[in-house]
Amino acid sequence: MASRIVPLVFRRSARSATAISRPQCRGFVASSRVSSDALHVHRDTPENNPSISFKFNDQSLKLIDEILKRYPPQYRKAAVMPLLDLGQRQHGFTSIGVMNEVARLLEMPPMRVYEVATFYTMYNRSPVGKFHLQVCTTTPCQLCGSDGIMKAVESHLGIHPGETTPDKLFTFSEVECLGACVNGPMIQINDDYYEDLTPETTISLLEALKASTEQAAPDQKGTLTDPDKVVKDGSDASKTARGAKVPSPGPLSGRKTCENLNGLTSLTSPMWGPEVTREDL
């Protein structure tokens, strides 16, 4: 009996010694750094650091007064999201200076504003081009050919997701569902949706946008934004520039909304009513 117990004791003591010798610590990060980590941190850059102050212009201040009227005085902090969006439209992106100014106006700790700005991807915390291309690659759009749209943008502009063209006209992003699944594949350019795309119509759209900026005056901000970087509605986005017409937002396939391209396929017979009866009765 003793001969059986002694080896067991030695084996257990050996395992205990091995466990004690292991370092009882672990790193804060167990995986390699990924590009999405940039969503949650801030790193000072020459164009985005606390030393660059930001102030809302007179037009934005009038809009802020209207926005704050929607909230009771004790809930002014709830206006942080629309004010960040307004600052981004004026400044071009949500810099640390924009966040600090919003915190000052709403009398809230800057960290609370940082938490909001780093949570929502709608806030661009680094500079973007005049036209921000956001291509949806979620399952419905992917089944309809979003991979072809991605390749068309990459080959035509020579950039990859997360990059900006050297002329600062286009910034290319790959995003998740934008809610236009029935008209996929689609792309969001600034605030406008362009749907039912093909690689050919996508390239034509990019060429038309570029042509519109070549004709525009130097102080203009492009077809989709006015001089104060306030996005226009879709009706202002369709115009002719050097022979290239910028299409209006919406489906580029010819349909108005999301109706069947083949026309009505059901409920095509006359509706029954008091004046219509079956002939066999």
Side-chain angles (χ1 to χ4, degrees), residues 133-138 140-161 172-175 178 183-189 194-206 252:
L133 313 177
Q134 302 180 71
V135 181
C136 174
T137 57
T138 311
C141 281
Q142 188 178 42
L143 293 174
C144 294
S146 64
D147 288 348
I149 306 303
M150 293 285 293
K151 292 178 181 178
V153 175
E154 290 179 335
S155 61
H156 185 71
L157 297 180
I159 57 176
H160 301 287
F172 182 26
S173 299
E174 179 181 1
V175 297
L178 292 172
N183 288 356
M186 59 85 61
I187 183 173
Q188 179 180 351
I189 303 180
Y194 291 89
E195 306 157 352
D196 288 344
L197 296 173
T198 64
E200 294 75 21
T201 56
T202 301
I203 292 175
S204 299
L205 174 61
L206 297 178
L252 299 187

Side-chain angles (χ1 to χ4, degrees), residues 41-52 96-97 100 125:
V41 299
H42 169 78
R43 295 288 182 266
D44 286 347
T45 60
E47 66 275 358
N48 185 14
N49 60 75
S51 64
I52 303 177
I96 192 72
N100 291 337
R125 296 191 295 109

Side-chain angles (χ1 to χ4, degrees), residues 23-98:
Q24 301 298 313
C25 63
R26 59 178 297 182
F28 287 104
V29 179
S31 59
S32 59
R33 184 182 182 276
V34 295
S35 58
S36 60
D37 292 343
L39 295 175
H40 310 292
V41 299
H42 169 78
R43 295 288 182 266
D44 286 347
T45 60
E47 66 275 358
N48 185 14
N49 60 75
S51 64
I52 303 177
S53 61
F54 168 82
K55 295 294 182 182
F56 286 102
N57 57 29
D58 293 338
Q59 181 185 10
S60 296
L61 289 174
K62 293 179 181 179
L63 292 174
I64 290 174
D65 291 338
E66 293 297 323
I67 292 172
L68 293 180
K69 290 178 182 178
R70 305 172 187 173
Y71 302 91
Q74 67 271 28
Y75 295 119
R76 285 168 53 93
K77 297 177 182 179
V80 60
M81 291 188 68
L83 263 62
L84 282 173
D85 180 71
L86 188 61
Q88 176 169 281
R89 293 177 185 276
Q90 176 183 321
H91 188 58
F93 69 103
T94 306
S95 66
I96 192 72
V98 171

